[in-house]
Structure formats: structure tokens, C-alpha cells
Amino acid sequence: MQSDFRPDALLAEVVGTFALVFAATGSIMVNDLSGGVVTHIGVAAAPGLVVAAMIYAVGDISAAHFNPAVTIGFWSVGRLPGRLVAPYIGSQVAGAVLASFALWLLLPEDRGLMGAHVPAIPAAPSVAMEVILTFFLMFVILGVIGFLNAAPGAERINRQPSSGLAVGAVVALAIWFAGPTSGASMNPARSLAPALFAVEPLQYLWIYLVGPVGGALLAGLTGRLIRHTSRS
């Protein structure tokens, strides 16, 4: 991962997270405005496709986190120096807030929930769902992108042709089947930014902070155990 402070990597995280939140939140808002034209499948596909595209676009610059939970997951396996965790997360939150503000301006007719996550199931199952979904997202990222196989200090994404598609597919599939339950956020920035502009209070936000971070840390631990065992 990054060994030095790199403004280009932070800018890439702003742009990539903006694209992700603009597509994820925007697809929900447009679906509501259009009476369901986008469909639930479209709402799931949009962020998955954007994640795949942004991995190919800037993965070699910032490693394409676009997600504070993913950043913490990379830090937990030693692929991001601790001093860069806060700048990465700050860049992701900035991109998410800018995207949410843009949608707030562009789609004033649907400023209600702004695509913010409100769970349809009780809090405890929602947290568990976010832990499980983020676990598999982080597990796939670490496996496909190859940071667990990289030499210590490796700075950039391993640009395998399948990496963007694999990660994007996990995002889309998770939202497709689990979106109607917890919301399938898997991303604290994605949940925080729209909630700041939404009419709905912030009482559910903790679910989307605790769950994704817990899932990412668990995936990092599991990935390290698997890789260690396979080399024994």
C-alpha cells in the first residue's frame, strides 16, 4: 500500500467515493421519483458497476478503497500505514458528502430520505447482516486484489483483469438480496453522507458504522489465518 503521503491517492479516493455514492444514492432517489423504473435490480447493479469501473480507473493510484471499512481492513492486515488511515477516511467522507450534496441540489423533489439507510429488520439482525456482507466484500477484495500475497510495503493494486468485476459483483449481489433487510450498506461513508441531508433522524447510523467495520476486521483476521495455514 501507500508508503508516503500522496495527494493523488487521496484525490482518487474523493473521486471514486463520489462516483459510488452518487450512483448508489442516486439510483434509489431516481427509482423513487420514477415510480420504480430503475427497479431493485437496477438499484443493486448501479453501485456494483461503478465500483468495478472506478477500480479500473484509479486502482493503481489509491488501491480503490472508497470505503472507510475497507481502509480499516487493509490497515488491519498491514497493507496501509496507520498514519494514512485518517486521511483516506477523510477523503472518502468528503467524496460521499459532495455526492450527497449534488443529489440534494439536482433532485429536490426527493430530498426526504435521500437514499439514507433505514433498516427493515431489528437493530441486532441488521448489525449482523452488515457484518456478514462486509466480511465477504473485504474477503473478496483481499483475495482477488492480492494484498495478502503481496510483499510487505506493496503500494498499489494488483490490476488483475477480473479484480474490478469480482468486487463490483459482490457489491451488486449483496444489495440485490440483502438491500431490503438492513440496506446492505457495507460502507460507513455511503450511509453517513446521505443521512446528513435526510429528513430522517440519525438513530440508525450506528448500525452502518459498527457492522461494516466489524465485518472488515473479521475478514482481515480470517484472510490472514487462511494464508498462514496454507503456507504451513
Side-chain angles (χ1 to χ4, degrees):
M1 293 293 293
Q2 311 301 112
S3 58
D4 299 306
F5 184 83
R6 293 181 52 197
D8 59 337
L10 300 184
L11 181 57
E13 287 296 301
V14 172
V15 173
T17 311
F18 182 103
L20 168 58
V21 174
F22 192 81
T25 301
S27 63
I28 294 172
M29 295 175 72
V30 172
N31 191 53
D32 181 61
L33 283 171
S34 64
V37 170
V38 178
T39 74
H40 175 61
I41 294 176
V43 168
L49 290 171
V50 166
V51 165
M54 288 295 107
I55 286 175
Y56 294 126
V58 297
D60 61 328
I61 298 172
S62 71
H65 297 192
F66 315 144
N67 183 338
V70 171
T71 292
I72 292 171
F74 277 136
W75 166 78
S76 74
V77 297
R79 296 302 171 184
L80 186 75
R83 65 182 178 276
L84 291 183
V85 171
Y88 259 65
I89 291 177
S91 299
Q92 293 152 7
V93 171
V97 170
L98 288 172
S100 299
F101 180 62
L103 289 167
W104 187 84
L105 290 175
L106 292 170
L107 302 174
E109 301 87 352
D110 199 46
R111 286 177 177 173
L113 288 180
M114 276 288 296
H117 288 114
V118 177
I121 57 178
S126 293
V127 172
M129 182 69 76
E130 290 296 319
V131 168
I132 293 168
L133 295 175
T134 312
F135 170 88
F136 284 111
L137 173 62
M138 191 76 217
F139 190 79
V140 169
I141 289 172
L142 289 171
V144 175
I145 292 176
F147 276 102
L148 290 178
N149 293 323
E155 292 187 352
R156 300 185 178 188
I157 202 169
N158 185 1
R159 290 177 66 126
Q160 300 177 26
S162 63
S163 59
L165 291 176
V167 176
V170 173
V171 172
L173 287 170
I175 297 172
W176 188 358
F177 86 87
T181 59
S182 69
S185 169
M186 303 170 284
N187 187 332
R190 155 68 185 96
S191 292
L192 170 64
L196 295 177
F197 293 88
V199 175
E200 189 73 19
L202 300 176
Q203 72 263 32
Y204 303 109
L205 185 58
W206 68 273
I207 294 171
Y208 305 105
L209 303 179
V210 173
V213 171
L217 290 172
L218 185 60
L221 175 62
T222 305
R224 296 186 80 152
L225 288 173
I226 290 174
R227 300 291 175 177
H228 176 76
T229 302
S230 67
R231 290 169 182 164
S232 300

